[in-house]
Amino acid sequence: MNETAFDEPLFASLKPGLTSFCYRMLGSMDDADDAVQETSIRVWQSWSTFRQESSFKTWVYRIASNLCLDKLRQSKRRALPVDLFDPAVAIVEPRDTLPDSAWIWPSPDFGGNPEDRLVRRDTLQLCFIALLQTLPPRQRAVLVLKDVFEWSSKQIAETLAMSPAAVNSALQRARETMDRAQLRSDELSSMDVQPEQQLLSRYVEAFEQFDIAALVALFHEEGCMSMPPFEMWIRGKEDLSAFYSLTRWHCEGSRFVPITVNGGYPALAQYMPDKEGSGLVPWGIHVIETKENQILHVQNFIHAPLFSRFGLPERIDR
């Protein structure tokens, strides 16, 4: 083989699944896209060395896996606020933040690849992505390839340069760690069941009218709200009411645009009034998790670059 024979359409067919693999490994679509781009460059550069001793797919995933493992060795674990901090004691305007690289961020769909649609959607839940980040990188790769992509131990061993016995051992340890992990985000999550559309509509109506009483009434007694990159998160109706009252000046006049995140889960993109103009500008992506048709957890991802990633406009009219 030679470099001019590089099969670009074949690599393109793997890209959606490859992106979803890298997202699960890294917890960020920005990092996942970077890893896939670097993989494509390395595949092209190394095309002449591919001897077909393994499948093209296995070879490509070997390159992507090594890139992810290298990146994870140099980075700290990404997480969600509820897994790092206790709920706020004093209700004040949030100020303390962690850098973008500290947080797990939601993802848009990875593409229309038929194989990608077969990948279990529950493994794109934000709480599952958070659980994955608790695993050592190589165990994480083994578990994703085995339990999500349903690869054989032999194929995983070829991809990660391990023996099949080592793969099975790593898989067992990873599953045990996942079972033992007691993350608050996992307890709060009910993303296996989509929120009722009527509940979402009531949330939108109450928030857009900024009717605090109606908004808080939608929450479960232990309902909470988190706002990465802010460390602070709120739990309980009384504190939620106090927080909404405190931040009314900021959010009043907001509008929502419906979207889907992480495998088709419904979410809402919040646009807030532009203080310097007449339109509305991006603020946060609300992912709403429910219990017994009440809101258990609103994750408001306050990260304007997410809007362009989801194909949303830079501003909308009031």
Side-chain angles (χ1 to χ4, degrees):
M1 291 186 182
N2 54 62
E3 291 183 6
T4 59
F6 171 54
D7 194 334
E8 202 165 332
L10 184 57
F11 181 83
S13 71
L14 296 179
K15 194 172 179 180
L18 202 61
T19 305
S20 67
F21 168 76
C22 292
Y23 172 67
R24 288 176 174 88
M25 287 291 293
L26 302 172
S28 157
M29 276 301 297
D30 286 341
D31 286 358
D33 281 348
D34 288 346
V36 172
Q37 179 63 23
E38 181 63 25
T39 297
S40 70
I41 292 170
R42 293 194 184 184
V43 166
W44 182 83
Q45 290 174 338
S46 306
W47 182 249
S48 61
T49 68
F50 176 49
R51 303 302 181 195
Q52 295 186 329
E53 294 168 355
S54 60
S55 72
F56 176 71
K57 180 177 179 179
T58 299
W59 181 62
V60 169
Y61 271 81
R62 181 184 305 151
I63 294 171
S65 298
N66 286 334
L67 281 165
C68 288
L69 294 174
D70 287 344
K71 187 171 185 63
L72 289 168
R73 289 188 192 102
Q74 302 166 21
S75 61
K76 295 182 179 180
R77 167 192 157 201
R78 287 180 179 268
L80 297 166
V82 296
D83 294 326
L84 294 182
F85 306 100
D86 288 329
V89 176
I91 303 305
V92 296
E93 288 186 32
R95 288 186 175 85
D96 294 334
T97 64
L98 291 179
D100 293 346
S101 59
W103 304 112
I104 291 166
W105 300 104
S107 75
D109 292 335
F110 300 110
N113 186 291
E115 181 181 0
D116 189 56
R117 286 198 293 269
L118 297 176
V119 174
R120 286 166 32 208
R121 197 184 104 184
D122 61 327
T123 66
L124 278 172
Q125 293 180 8
L126 288 162
C127 67
F128 185 82
I129 302 299
L131 276 171
L132 284 175
Q133 309 310 302
T134 67
L135 297 175
R138 192 167 292 272
Q139 288 183 28
R140 194 182 310 176
V142 168
L143 186 132
V144 171
L145 291 173
K146 184 69 173 180
D147 287 359
V148 178
F149 288 83
E150 299 181 348
W151 285 22
S152 69
S153 295
K154 180 177 182 295
Q155 191 177 7
I156 296 171
E158 292 175 356
T159 300
L160 300 178
M162 303 167 67
S163 68
V167 166
N168 292 333
S169 176
L171 179 64
Q172 181 179 353
R173 293 197 303 274
R175 287 172 174 168
E176 288 172 352
T177 299
M178 294 275 278
D179 288 341
R180 286 197 309 269
Q182 294 183 338
L183 296 184
R184 192 181 273 122
S185 60
D186 192 34
E187 297 173 8
L188 291 171
S189 177
S190 59
M191 288 181 69
D192 55 321
V193 178
Q194 292 196 3
E196 294 286 340
Q197 184 57 49
Q198 185 181 20
L199 179 61
L200 288 178
S201 298
R202 290 164 64 198
Y203 179 82
V204 169
E205 181 180 5
F207 201 107
E208 291 186 347
Q209 294 181 1
F210 221 74
D211 183 337
I212 294 174
L215 188 57
V216 172
L218 301 176
F219 280 82
H220 188 275
E221 200 61 42
E222 291 298 312
C224 56
M225 176 179 60
S226 56
M227 305 155 287
F230 294 103
E231 299 174 5
M232 178 184 181
W233 63 279
I234 318 295
R235 182 169 64 187
K237 288 189 174 185
E238 185 176 338
D239 284 354
L240 285 165
S241 181
F243 182 79
Y244 284 128
S245 297
L246 186 67
T247 56
R248 174 187 287 275
W249 66 272
H250 180 77
C251 289
E252 197 166 26
S254 292
R255 293 291 180 269
F256 283 115
V257 174
I259 60 170
T260 59
V261 302
N262 290 60
Y265 192 81
L268 299 163
Q270 178 192 353
Y271 286 80
M272 58 169 283
D274 183 355
K275 305 306 180 187
E276 300 178 359
S278 59
L280 299 163
V281 294
W283 177 244
I285 303 292
H286 294 224
V287 181
I288 299 172
E289 299 168 331
T290 61
K291 178 182 179 181
E292 299 168 354
N293 204 28
Q294 293 178 300
I295 296 173
L296 189 60
H297 187 197
V298 174
Q299 300 188 72
N300 182 7
F301 294 92
I302 301 170
H303 189 49
L306 283 173
F307 281 67
S308 60
R309 180 166 292 286
F310 280 89
L312 293 163
E314 293 182 4
R315 63 188 297 118
I316 61 175
D317 295 330
R318 288 181 185 265

